[in-house]
Amino acid sequence: MEPLMAVLVGITFATAVYMMLRRSIVKLIIGLTLLSNAANLLFFTASGLTRGAPPIIPEGAEQPAGAVADPLPQALILTAIVISFGVLAFALVLIRKAYQVVQADDLDQMKDTDT
């Protein structure tokens, strides 16, 4: 499963970089979103894809019995998702305001406008 996830992460990173290099500011935001999702997938894949029980230690035992899932990568990825949603919301508001002022979606046209 890990090789398939590695290929998926690589394709997602490549798509994100391609979208971020386009001239449209909307495609830039789509690329930024894809980049954050690819980073989350990379971290999740690197931490190991194991199916297991929650890491609860029974009373009187030194360690959990059997395979357990590591909750730390899941917590870090959840935090990254929340932060990336906040960045996306801020970028969308900023882009909307820039479009209202400049009346253009192309980054080159935004640069050449004197306002």
Side-chain angles (χ1 to χ4, degrees):
M1 186 68 169
E2 280 86 3
L4 177 65
M5 288 298 290
V7 169
L8 178 67
V9 167
I11 290 171
T12 310
F13 266 117
T15 305
V17 169
Y18 176 76
M19 292 297 282
M20 290 176 70
L21 292 175
R22 306 303 300 164
R23 289 184 171 195
S24 173
I25 200 152
V26 174
K27 291 179 183 176
L28 176 75
I29 293 302
I30 293 171
L32 184 67
T33 304
L34 281 174
L35 187 69
S36 67
N37 287 335
N40 290 339
L41 278 174
L42 176 67
F43 189 68
F44 190 66
T45 304
S47 67
L49 300 173
T50 58
R51 292 181 183 232
I56 299 173
I57 300 174
E59 190 173 330
E62 291 290 323
Q63 59 184 351
V68 294
D70 188 12
L72 183 62
Q74 297 172 14
L76 291 174
I77 290 171
L78 182 61
T79 304
I81 289 170
V82 171
I83 291 170
S84 66
F85 179 73
V87 169
L88 176 66
F90 176 71
L92 286 175
V93 170
L94 189 65
I95 287 169
R96 182 173 184 263
K97 184 63 177 176
Y99 184 76
Q100 286 176 347
V101 170
V102 180
Q103 295 294 321
D105 183 31
D106 191 2
L107 291 173
D108 288 337
Q109 290 176 357
M110 285 184 173
K111 178 181 71 170
D112 295 335
T113 307
D114 294 327
T115 53

